[in-house]
Amino acid sequence: MKRSLLIAAAIAATLPFTAAAHKAWLQPSQTVISGSDPWITVDAAVSNDLFYFNHVPLRLDALVITAPDGSKLQPQNPATGKYRSVFDVELKQKGTYRLATVYSGLSASWQEDGKPKRWRGTPDKFASEVPNNAPELKVSETGSRIETFVTNGNPNDTALKPTGKGIELVALGHPNDLFAGEKATFRLLVDGKPQAGLEVEIVRGATRYRNAQEEIKVTSDAKGEFSVTWPEAGMYWLETGSEDDKTSVKQANVRRLSYVATLEVLPQ
């Protein structure tokens, strides 16, 4: 199966069934703040074009906001409309915030009375809601992380510490210290360990106004690392995914993981 299909299958767990082939993202109004009005507004959507609202909203049920001291915050003024979700965050603390929608779950299909049945939910509900011996039972596990980073004042890395679950991105530098023309290096982790061979696609926003995606494609090396030299300033969308057999229930034979980040590259 092609990498793009693997990623779509994993992200689909958090999205409407019609959205699997589109790009999901979080976009903050700004990623670096220094001043007396430390607020940001974040758009969350699934779209055809980066970063425009023209398909469906990204739901906020699995939103996790981590403050610079590691504590968890609640979004302010959350709302979901026809094409996007939106929320505000007051950055009271100085340092770096991690904003992410994080999902893990199971999907199953089987035959019941000659008719196809489908189910999607969490591992703790699987045993009680899915018949164990159902005919043609097929179970897969999915995990996704869609995130972005925002810094108020001097950056720190407390919120950036890996959780050890699914795919995570570690900036060997800082994710809010990216500049056009400079090289940035990242490490990809799967369940907390460096992962080689992950294909990464990076696309600058405003694809609506150019004829080509102009994507950058790289692959993580033996240390799980890859580098990119940013061609110009702007908001960038980064995506990768993987497939393995490290499932949490014995009935599932495949686990599909996906990761998406929105990064802002500033001018020199």
Side-chain angles (χ1 to χ4, degrees), residues 137-217:
L137 177 63
K138 297 179 181 179
V139 183
S140 62
E141 186 167 354
T142 55
S144 72
R145 172 178 286 270
I146 302 168
E147 68 182 358
T148 191
F149 313 94
V150 178
T151 295
N152 178 14
N154 292 327
N156 73 328
D157 61 3
T158 300
L160 306 180
K161 292 180 180 178
T163 67
K165 298 179 181 179
I167 299 178
E168 294 180 279
L169 183 75
V170 176
L172 304 184
H174 194 278
N176 293 138
D177 189 27
L178 307 175
F179 293 91
E182 293 187 359
K183 184 172 76 171
T185 301
F186 302 88
R187 180 180 296 124
L188 286 167
L189 309 177
V190 173
D191 298 334
K193 298 180 180 179
Q195 183 69 37
L198 290 185
E199 297 178 13
V200 182
E201 181 174 333
I202 303 168
V203 183
R204 181 172 50 85
T207 54
R208 183 185 184 93
Y209 300 112
R210 59 182 190 267
N211 293 325
Q213 291 282 303
E214 299 178 2
E215 66 269 25
I216 300 168
K217 293 187 177 182

Side-chain angles (χ1 to χ4, degrees), residues 27 40-45 53 57-58 60 63 75-81 84-88:
Q27 184 186 27
I40 58 166
T41 294
V42 182
D43 293 317
F53 326 118
L58 181 66
L60 302 178
L63 179 64
Q76 300 195 45
N77 308 315
T80 296
R84 65 169 170 170
S85 295
V86 63
F87 61 94
D88 296 329

Side-chain angles (χ1 to χ4, degrees), residues 6 13 22 28 39 69 104 115 127 151 161 184 189 198 203 206 220 226 241 251:
L6 298 179
H22 299 80
W39 285 83
D69 64 356
S104 62
K115 297 180 181 180
T151 295
K161 292 180 180 178
L189 309 177
L198 290 185
V203 183
S220 61
F226 68 91
Q251 292 90 341

